[in-house]
Every structure is written in C-alpha cells, then in structure tokens.
Amino acid sequence: MTKLAAKIQTVLSSRERGATAVEYGLMVALIAAVIIAGVTLIGTSSGNTFNNVATAI
C-alpha cells in the first residue's frame, strides 16, 4: 500500500512541475511580447527624430 501511495505522489508532483513549466513559459512569452512592442515603439520614435534632425541639417 505504501508503494502505491508513493507512486501516486510521484505522478502528482510531476504534473505540478509540468504545470509550473507551462506557467513560466507563458510568462516568458508575455514578457517577450512587451519587450518587442516597446522596442518597436522606441525604434519608430527615434527614427522620426533622426529624420527630423537630418532634414534640419
């Protein structure tokens, strides 16, 4: 009976680790999306600034 309980506990703990890995993966994807959006906005803004400076020169 003890061996059965140990196997059940092992299976349940591995599922929790899998769920945690999925959660971390989702967080990393969300952070990457925010970084990409931020870099895109900053790049567009700085590109416009450089164009304005080049036109003024």
Side-chain angles (χ1 to χ4, degrees), residues 13-46:
S13 67
S14 67
R15 286 183 185 170
E16 289 176 8
R17 280 182 278 178
T20 302
V22 170
E23 291 169 356
Y24 281 133
L26 289 173
M27 286 192 314
V28 168
L30 180 63
I31 290 169
V34 169
I35 290 172
I36 290 170
V39 168
T40 301
L41 291 174
I42 291 172
T44 303
S45 176
S46 63

